[in-house]
């Protein structure tokens, strides 16, 4: 629920994206968790039970903070006066309608299926690495840490893209959708090239920072060039995921990941002479398929914004003198 309140602050349709508040909410969660873990787990010597209690309490603190921030930001809406409770006009029948709950459940189920597909890829990658020997298993696990760094670098941009494209579709603004897409692709290219340059120039030093076993580093370094290819493919796939979540089209993200899973399984299991290079090639192929399919389906996001705009236009009065003003009033809820 704490993450749900943070998500609401990131994706509110009528409120400006408050990524700063989402950051503070995360800081509150993690700082409280760290302080309480030290206090209960070490100083008061409650052990694992103290750490577990600290995690639960810190999540509830973050939930309370997030709910307060939602209430505070709802007061910024133009139709809510300073003395008015922003929840007074909340219609629970709309919030809890079966249609909306079913749509939310469908969205989360599709994201879950996508996550399961990725878990299958990672699990099969680890299993195949183990078949190549302990050195391959340890070396590939080390290289996977570099892949995790890429995902952490893309996470913030994907969340921002999710929020902005959701707002753009909510207002039926396909031009804004194109702007968000272009900005994300530019950032993806810049970050991809930055990570590639980092791995090319400092790859061995990063591996040495992750482990003290030089024999594992020597093995992993032989396959480090595969990680030079990973950033551009990874950033494109991860950022496009954010766009499709923001557009509430996770079914396409699910299908793209499923196709990527099939590509990985075929490439890694159908080759007669299996090797670690084949395994990494299959992993890069799955990233390429994910990125290419999502980019190919991107036009569907613009069409969704155009359809929303056409719907709003159909609701405007035909004798409206100022269509732009009428459109803004249309988005404002009534007092009823």
């Amino acid at each position: 629920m704490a993450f749900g309140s943070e998500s609401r602050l990131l994706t509110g349709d009528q409120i400006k994206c408050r990524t700063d508040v989402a950051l503070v909410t995360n800081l509150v969660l993690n700082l409280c968790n760290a302080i309480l873990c030290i206090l209960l787990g070490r100083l008061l010597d409650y052990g694992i039970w103290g750490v577990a209690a600290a995690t639960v309490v810190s999540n509830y603190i973050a939930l309370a903070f997030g709910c307060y921030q939602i209430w505070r930001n709802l007061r910024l809406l133009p139709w809510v006066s300073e003395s008015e409770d922003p929840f007074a006009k909340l219609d629970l029948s709309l919030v809890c309608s079966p249609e909306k709950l079913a749509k939310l459940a469908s969205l989360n189920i599709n994201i879950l299926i996508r996550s399961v597909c990725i878990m299958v890829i990672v699990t099969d990658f680890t299993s195949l690495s183990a078949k190549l020997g302990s050195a391959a298993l340890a070396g590939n696990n080390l290289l996977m840490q570099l892949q995790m760094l890429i995902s952490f670098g893309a996470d913030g941009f994907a969340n921002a893209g999710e929020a902005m494209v959701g707002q753009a579709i909510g207002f039926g603004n396909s031009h804004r959708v194109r702007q968000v897409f272009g900005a994300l692709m530019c950032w993806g290219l810049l970050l991809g090239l930055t990570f590639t340059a980092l791995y090319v120039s400092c790859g061995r030093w990063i591996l040495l920072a992750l482990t003290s076993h030089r024999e594992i580093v020597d093995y992993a370094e032989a396959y480090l060039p595969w990680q030079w290819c990973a950033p551009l493919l990874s950033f494109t796939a991860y950022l496009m995921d954010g766009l499709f979540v923001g557009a509430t089209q996770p079914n396409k993200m699910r299908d793209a990941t499923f196709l990527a899973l099939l590509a990985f399984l075929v490439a890694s299991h159908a080759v007669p002479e299996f090797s670690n290079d084949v395994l990494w090639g299959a992993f890069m192929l799955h990233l390429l398929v994910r990125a290419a399919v999502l980019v190919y389906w991107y036009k569907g996001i613009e069409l969704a914004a155009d359809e929303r705009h056409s719907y709003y236009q159909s609701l405007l009065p035909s004798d409206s003198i100022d269509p732009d003003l009428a459109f803004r009033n249309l988005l404002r809820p009534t007092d009823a």
Side-chain angles (χ1 to χ4, degrees):
M1 291 183 70
F3 293 123
S5 63
E6 174 190 331
S7 176
R8 182 61 221 167
L9 289 164
L10 279 170
T11 59
D13 287 339
Q14 302 288 349
I15 305 174
K16 185 178 180 180
C17 299
R18 296 304 306 273
T19 53
D20 56 335
V21 179
L23 172 62
V24 174
T25 304
N26 261 306
L27 289 175
V28 169
L29 171 63
N30 288 286
L31 287 175
C32 288
N33 196 13
I35 293 171
L36 291 175
C37 280
I38 295 173
L39 176 63
L40 298 177
R42 294 182 66 89
L43 299 181
L44 298 181
D45 200 24
Y46 282 105
I48 190 65
W49 291 102
V51 173
T55 302
V56 173
V57 172
S58 60
N59 273 276
Y60 275 103
I61 292 174
L63 171 62
F65 181 80
C67 289
Y68 166 73
Q69 291 298 332
I70 291 175
W71 175 83
R72 181 170 171 267
N73 281 273
L74 283 175
R75 297 181 66 84
L76 301 177
L77 292 171
W79 54 82
V80 177
S81 62
E82 293 183 2
S83 60
E84 187 178 16
D85 182 1
F87 291 106
K89 296 182 179 180
L90 184 63
D91 189 347
L92 292 179
S93 64
L94 293 177
V95 176
C96 301
S97 68
E99 181 183 353
K100 291 184 180 294
L101 291 176
K103 185 176 181 180
L104 179 63
S106 174
L107 186 147
N108 283 280
I109 289 172
N110 285 322
I111 294 177
L112 174 63
I113 295 173
R114 170 255 189 189
S115 299
V116 169
C117 289
I118 294 176
M119 288 177 60
V120 171
I121 292 173
V122 174
T123 302
D124 194 45
F125 183 93
T126 304
S127 176
L128 293 173
S129 297
K131 291 181 179 180
L132 292 171
S134 57
L137 178 61
N140 286 348
N141 182 63
L142 203 60
L143 291 172
M144 270 297 181
Q145 303 310 307
L146 302 185
Q147 189 67 30
M148 289 295 293
L149 288 177
I150 297 173
S151 66
F152 293 150
D155 189 50
F157 289 94
N159 283 336
E162 174 185 334
M164 289 187 289
V165 81
Q167 281 190 326
I169 291 178
F171 284 105
N173 191 340
S174 60
H175 176 68
R176 178 61 175 164
V177 171
R178 284 191 293 273
Q179 286 182 324
V180 173
F181 173 74
L184 280 182
M185 290 302 100
C186 287
W187 275 109
L189 177 62
L190 177 61
L191 291 170
L193 293 175
T194 301
F195 270 81
T196 298
L198 179 66
Y199 290 167
V200 170
S201 59
C202 306
R204 180 174 176 83
W205 298 106
I206 297 174
L207 295 176
L208 287 170
L210 295 174
T211 181
S212 58
H213 297 279
R214 288 187 173 271
E215 65 277 10
I216 298 177
V217 172
D218 292 338
Y219 183 92
E221 189 178 14
Y223 299 95
L224 190 59
W226 285 109
Q227 281 299 323
W228 300 349
C229 307
L232 287 174
L233 296 176
S234 300
F235 273 109
T236 304
Y238 299 157
L239 296 180
M240 291 303 298
D241 277 354
L243 287 183
F244 278 92
V245 172
T248 61
Q249 296 182 15
N251 55 318
K252 293 183 178 179
M253 185 177 67
R254 173 205 64 198
D255 294 343
T257 309
F258 182 73
L259 291 174
L261 170 61
L262 292 180
F264 174 81
L265 293 176
V266 170
S268 59
H269 290 271
V271 178
E273 295 184 4
F274 183 72
S275 66
N276 205 31
D277 282 314
V278 171
L279 181 57
W280 276 107
F283 189 82
M284 294 302 140
L285 177 63
H286 115 268
L287 290 174
L288 175 62
V289 171
R290 275 178 67 187
V293 171
L294 289 175
V295 170
Y296 178 75
W297 283 340
Y298 155 74
K299 279 295 181 181
I301 299 179
E302 288 189 16
L303 290 176
D306 288 333
E307 289 174 1
R308 181 66 63 91
H309 182 75
S310 299
Y311 170 72
Y312 289 152
Q313 289 289 338
S314 68
L315 299 179
L316 292 177
S318 58
D319 57 346
S320 175
I321 299 176
D322 187 349
D324 185 58
L325 177 61
F327 180 74
R328 289 198 300 270
N329 289 334
L330 180 66
L331 297 178
R332 174 175 175 167
T334 62
D335 295 332

